[in-house]
């Protein structure tokens, strides 16, 4: 059975991916929030073997310490799901908070780089090596007030393309997944806990759910060995572009 490591596994797309991958993978679930991590591990332990690692992806030393701490029976990894990521704020570039900008670059870009660099040596022996990077429609289309978030996701797009090229000789597949509007904690985090403002983002249409994205990830990693799903862009039916959503 293949082993998958998922970052940001405590909620949203990460947790939904853990639930669907539990059908046919052993799981290394990673997140910052230990209680939630333990809760999802307990939930899935009856279906598959689960190991948890609690660390912050934006702390390079914590990332390597966590990956180095994996016991021998967990030190061969086939699938890496780089899901951890957030948006902080939605403001004109000139008005936004520098700490928010740093957090997005540190988590969405540097975090993905740190985790991938640490995990790649553990993919050495896998014949099924596969990296899935969670990008966003924001990585393909920049929108006003989202400049730095969009820049962080444009970096993920470039990382997916470049990794696919550089890892070709090692036979590792790379899939870039770019969802549009998905109803998770995403907007509540973006709006710093303002639940009302967050809820408005998803009103008047049916947004994607975390499960919808998880199914797309499961599809990509379930393909035959000779098939590489390079990119999946996933919108709700009511969305046609980053900022074009048909609301009732
Ligand atoms: C999340 C989707 O449309 O807010 O990455 O950029 S969007």
């Amino acid at each position: 059975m293949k082993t998958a490591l998922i970052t940001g596994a405590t909620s949203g797309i990460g947790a939904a991916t853990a639930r669907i991958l539990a059908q046919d993978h052993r799981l290394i679930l990673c997140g910052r929030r230990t209680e939630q991590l333990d809760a999802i591990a307990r939930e899935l332990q009856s279906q598959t073997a689960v190991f948890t690692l609690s660390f912050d992806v934006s702390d390079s030393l914590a990332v390597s310490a966590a990956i180095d701490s994996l016991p021998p029976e967990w030190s061969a990894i086939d699938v890496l799901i780089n899901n951890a990521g957030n948006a902080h704020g939605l403001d004109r570039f000139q008005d936004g908070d520098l700490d928010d900008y740093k957090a997005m670059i540190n988590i969405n870009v540097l975090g993905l780089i740190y985790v991938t660099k640490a995990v790649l040596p553990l993919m050495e022996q896998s014949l099924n090596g596969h990296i899935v990077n969670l990008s966003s429609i924001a990585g393909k289309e920049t929108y006003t007030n989202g400049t730095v978030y969009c820049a962080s996701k444009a970096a993920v797009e470039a990382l997916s393309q470049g990794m696919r090229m550089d890892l070709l000789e090692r036979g590792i597949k790379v899939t870039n997944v770019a969802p549009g509007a998905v109803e998770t904690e995403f907007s509540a985090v973006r709006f710093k806990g303002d639940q009302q403002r967050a809820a408005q983002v998803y009103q008047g249409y049916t947004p994607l759910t975390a499960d919808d994205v998880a199914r797309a990830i499961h599809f990509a990693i379930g393909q035959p060995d000779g098939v590489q799903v390079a990119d999946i862009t996933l919108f709700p039916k009511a969305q046609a572009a980053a900022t074009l959503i048909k609301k009732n």
Side-chain angles (χ1 to χ4, degrees), residues 7 21 28 34 37 51 53 59 72 78 141 172 179 181 185 189 195 203 209 212 227 230 234:
T7 65
L21 262 59
I28 302 171
T34 319
L37 207 51
F51 194 86
L53 286 176
D59 178 342
D78 303 290
E141 294 177 45
I172 294 175
E185 289 175 355
V189 173
Q195 301 289 348
Q203 269 163 15
T209 64
D212 295 328
V227 178
L234 202 64

Side-chain angles (χ1 to χ4, degrees), residues 11 44 46 70-71 73 86 88 102 104 151 242 247:
S11 63
L44 299 178
S46 59
L70 283 167
E73 65 273 26
N86 274 326
H88 297 288
K102 281 188 200 163
M104 289 188 281
K247 295 196 174 192

Side-chain angles (χ1 to χ4, degrees), residues 2 11 17 30 52 64-65 68 114 129 152 154 165 171 203 212 227 234:
K2 290 193 278 183
S11 63
T17 304
C30 308
T52 59
S64 34
D68 285 351
Y114 299 150
S152 76
M165 292 189 268
Q203 269 163 15
D212 295 328
V227 178
L234 202 64

Side-chain angles (χ1 to χ4, degrees), residues 181-220:
V182 189
E183 187 165 15
T184 60
E185 289 175 355
F186 175 84
S187 290
V189 173
R190 168 173 263 177
F191 301 133
K192 302 176 191 301
D194 183 340
Q195 301 289 348
Q196 219 176 346
R197 194 171 169 203
Q200 278 168 11
V201 174
Y202 308 111
Q203 269 163 15
Y205 69 106
T206 306
L208 294 173
T209 64
D211 287 343
D212 295 328
V213 183
R215 274 199 313 282
I217 294 169
H218 194 229
F219 168 81

Side-chain angles (χ1 to χ4, degrees), residues 135-138 143 149 179-181 186 190 239 242:
S135 178
S136 164
I137 187 57
Y143 50 82
Y149 176 69
F186 175 84
R190 168 173 263 177
Q239 184 171 19

Side-chain angles (χ1 to χ4, degrees), residues 31-87:
R32 278 171 308 167
R33 296 173 289 186
T34 319
E35 262 177 43
Q36 279 107 317
L37 207 51
D38 291 345
I40 184 154
R42 271 197 305 277
E43 176 192 329
L44 299 178
Q45 251 149 11
S46 59
Q47 293 172 58
T48 189
V50 183
F51 194 86
T52 59
L53 286 176
S54 177
F55 62 91
D56 178 350
V57 296
S58 66
D59 178 342
S60 63
L61 293 178
V63 171
S64 34
I67 302 301
D68 285 351
S69 77
L70 283 167
E73 65 273 26
W74 286 98
S75 62
I77 294 173
D78 303 290
V79 179
L80 165 62
I81 314 278
N82 277 316
N83 164 72
N86 274 326

